[in-house]
Amino acid sequence: MAPTGCSWFPVTLERSKKGSFKFVRSSSSISGSSKSFSFKKRSTEEKKALIVCFGEMLIDFVPITAGVSLADAEGFKKAAGGAPANVAVGISRLGGSAAFMGKVGKDEFGYMLADILKENNVDNSGMRFDPNARTALAFVTLRSDGEREFMFYRNPSADKLLHEKELDVNLIKKAGIFHYGSISLIEEPCRSAHLAAMDIAKKAGCILSYDPNLRLPLWPSAEAAQQGIMSIWNQADFIKISEEEIEFLTGGDDPYDDDVVMKKLYHPNLKLLVVTEGAAGCRYYTKDFKGKVEGIKADAVDTTGAGDSFVGAILNSWGSDLNLYKDEKRLREALLFANACGALTVQKKGAVPALPTKEAVDQFLHQTTD
């Protein structure tokens, strides 16, 4: 049976064409920062912290042909999506330890998503299945440059209906890092479940990781989105934010101005704030240093999941070294690796199918740095 509000249609699955890369070396705004990177193999015995990702998981329908409207699309590629779930799979693909916590419908799509997590070695024991609501759907419009816009079917969808009593408290307490977005803050009862999960994680000593992942059409208003996103801002240890999100949250301030970032977005409890700039790379800010790591250019087919791939890479590195944010050289290496993950992800359609393995990223980096 088709989900409520959506007519059923055939879905065409196609492999996307592989793009080309151009490597740009990274630079730092801090005097004396290292300009070279070494990619040493880490011991397979290295202990990695469990990273629990909380929030939404859904089905993305991506048009086979870029640059057309949803109405004109001849077919769609069906792919698992939802930012927190993407991050969890990204971590696991890179060899990390990840779990996903959220709610889907007790339907074919919900079971499919649970299976995808299991197939990707993500702990799905924190998933819950709602018999009275459908798994969320998102239709993605791809522009010719690979950028996208979303149309959501989730009124209501199961992810919004997670209750505090359904949280797997023991799973949260096992985590070294607890990651989340802002979409789970939009409506009750999920908002209360989200806040309770954060509180449990904080009391258990977890690092709190926050990617606001602004999706304005899902919020009642722009004002509600700004207030909702900022309502938990000061509790995070790590925040990843985009240029567009800086502009939105600051009321139009220059997203490239370090003073704007430090005065309006950096808070005393924050260990690391990263600003992503797409193909241009990223900027990083800590209490002791700041800088920029240039990007790795790629021919973008679909940018869906690129930011999640980046976040998964950073958290995977952090899960192996909980003091990563204190060592600028190691942090810059991790950020270059994360930039490479994002560059690889944009070359395929869909989020989860495009997330790279550690071997693929290592091979690419060795080829471009030799």
Side-chain angles (χ1 to χ4, degrees), residues 139-322:
F139 288 81
V140 187
T141 303
L142 291 180
R143 301 200 311 243
S144 57
D145 63 357
E147 288 295 335
R148 74 272 191 239
E149 296 176 353
F150 296 88
M151 183 169 68
F152 296 94
Y153 285 77
R154 58 193 304 269
N155 294 308
S157 55
D159 60 288
K160 300 194 289 186
L161 302 177
L162 181 69
H163 290 263
E164 180 179 346
K165 64 183 179 182
E166 295 177 296
L167 295 174
D168 188 334
V169 175
N170 290 330
L171 181 61
I172 297 173
K173 289 181 177 180
K174 291 178 184 176
I177 300 173
F178 185 73
H179 176 73
Y180 48 86
S182 68
I183 291 174
S184 45
L185 295 170
I186 297 175
E187 291 185 33
E188 295 289 356
C190 190
R191 183 177 187 277
S192 291
H194 181 143
L195 296 176
M198 282 179 59
D199 186 58
I200 294 166
K202 195 70 172 179
K203 289 178 178 176
C206 297
I207 291 169
L208 298 188
S209 167
Y210 186 23
D211 177 2
N213 194 38
L214 176 66
R215 294 290 179 265
L216 203 51
L218 296 179
W219 291 86
S221 66
E223 182 182 12
Q226 199 273 348
Q227 291 177 352
I229 288 170
M230 296 304 294
S231 69
I232 59 170
W233 194 265
N234 290 343
Q235 297 179 56
D237 298 296
F238 165 59
I239 295 174
K240 190 281 283 183
I241 191 170
S242 69
E243 310 151 281
E244 295 84 0
E245 288 165 341
I246 290 177
E247 198 168 357
F248 173 76
L249 293 174
T250 61
D253 286 353
D254 182 0
Y256 302 100
D257 187 337
D258 286 347
D259 286 339
V260 169
V261 174
M262 294 303 292
K263 292 178 180 178
K264 292 195 172 184
L265 298 175
Y266 198 93
H267 64 78
N269 298 321
L270 199 55
K271 293 177 171 63
L272 173 65
L273 187 148
V274 173
V275 179
T276 54
E277 300 180 354
C282 64
R283 286 174 280 146
Y284 57 90
Y285 302 83
T286 73
K287 293 176 182 177
D288 301 316
F289 50 77
K290 63 183 178 181
K292 178 175 173 113
V293 177
E294 297 292 338
I296 301 173
K297 298 187 183 300
D299 292 334
V301 173
D302 177 10
T303 60
T304 307
D308 304 326
S309 182
F310 178 94
V311 172
I314 290 297
L315 294 183
N316 182 57
S317 295
W318 205 332
S320 300
D321 179 5
L322 296 180

Side-chain angles (χ1 to χ4, degrees), residues 44-61:
T44 55
E45 301 299 320
E46 184 179 54
K47 186 177 181 181
K48 292 180 178 287
L50 172 65
I51 303 167
V52 173
C53 301
F54 176 94
E56 70 280 0
M57 190 174 191
L58 47 86
I59 304 291
D60 286 332
F61 287 96

Side-chain angles (χ1 to χ4, degrees), residues 313-359:
I314 290 297
L315 294 183
N316 182 57
S317 295
W318 205 332
S320 300
D321 179 5
L322 296 180
N323 290 313
L324 176 69
Y325 66 98
K326 297 179 181 179
D327 184 333
E328 187 174 12
K329 183 176 183 293
R330 280 279 297 116
L331 177 60
R332 290 176 61 80
E333 290 173 354
L335 290 170
L336 179 61
F337 187 92
N339 283 346
C341 286
L344 285 170
T345 301
V346 302
Q347 293 187 99
K348 295 181 180 179
K349 291 181 179 178
V352 166
L355 297 169
T357 63
K358 184 177 185 300
E359 291 73 22

